Amino acid sequence: EVSGEALDGTIEVSGDWRLPDNQHPGGVNQGRIKLHGIELDAVGDLLRSRGLVESLSGTVNAKFGYRHDEQTGLPVGDGLVEFDDVRHNGDRLADRLRGKLRLEADRLELKQVSGELAGGELLAEGVIRLSSAERGALQLQLVGADLRRLLFAWPQLAQHQYGASDLDVRMFHGAG
């Protein structure tokens, strides 16, 4: 078990891992990772990003259980993630967004991400392929969002917009 403070929050890792000669410590090869109160702006600082990410604030909490696949030795598992009090330059975008994560040897799946975003209801799902040779996808549906709040990244455009909007987007990344 290891725990510590990072990114203005806490990180806990516990579990059993394979020894170099492939022995299984304790007969089990699994673990759990917990993130609590990780600050989005601290993540932006870590990534040395400029612009949009620097202006975001809020916290991330996550719990993820994993085991090492017997065939590949890679970690696989399931978890939950929550984003709380997400703001851009102090303006609230979302109180809480929740979703499920699934890690497979070749992909990370985002499932049932939902919550209120910019005054509308967000539903999102996606697959991030861990190999750049395969294409991943992300699908977003946002219903009834405040257009001005939705355009937070473009303040000059947002100041002239009014009303509610619906958004249905499917994005792809990677090869294919």
Side-chain angles (χ1 to χ4, degrees):
E1 292 185 24
V2 176
S3 65
E5 294 181 9
L7 303 171
D8 297 332
T10 59
I11 298 174
E12 298 174 22
V13 180
S14 61
D16 297 316
W17 292 276
R18 293 178 191 226
L19 298 173
D21 60 1
N22 279 341
Q23 293 177 5
H24 297 266
V28 180
N29 198 9
Q30 62 187 8
R32 177 165 295 281
I33 298 172
K34 291 182 185 179
L35 307 175
H36 182 72
I38 302 297
E39 295 288 339
L40 288 176
D41 51 358
V43 173
D45 290 343
L46 176 70
L47 297 175
R48 293 184 173 84
S49 62
R50 298 289 175 242
L52 177 62
V53 176
E54 276 184 349
S55 302
L56 285 177
S57 64
T59 58
V60 178
N61 299 303
K63 295 178 183 176
F64 190 80
Y66 68 90
R67 64 178 175 75
H68 289 158
D69 181 86
E70 301 240 350
Q71 299 295 323
T72 65
L74 296 172
V76 296
D78 296 294
L80 301 171
V81 64
E82 293 179 345
F83 296 90
D84 291 321
D85 194 26
V86 179
R87 295 176 179 267
H88 178 264
N89 286 334
D91 295 327
R92 187 180 63 78
L93 294 176
D95 284 334
R96 174 171 284 170
L97 300 172
R98 290 182 173 182
K100 295 182 179 181
L101 299 171
R102 173 122 184 105
L103 179 63
E104 295 288 342
D106 63 340
R107 68 189 177 278
L108 177 64
E109 298 174 6
L110 216 52
K111 295 183 172 196
Q112 301 174 354
V113 175
S114 63
E116 176 267 329
L117 178 67
E121 287 298 316
L122 173 71
L123 296 172
E125 292 194 352
V127 175
I128 298 170
R129 299 290 177 171
L130 301 178
S131 164
S132 61
E134 296 183 58
R135 184 169 73 168
L138 177 65
Q139 181 156 344
L140 302 169
Q141 291 179 321
L142 185 59
V143 177
D146 179 329
L147 186 56
R148 179 179 283 192
R149 289 173 57 199
L150 190 58
L151 295 172
F152 66 89
W154 302 277
Q156 290 185 350
L157 178 62
Q159 69 184 353
H160 302 291
Q161 306 303 316
Y162 300 94
S165 61
D166 296 341
L167 183 66
D168 191 358
V169 176
R170 186 169 179 109
M171 300 180 279
F172 300 95
H173 68 89

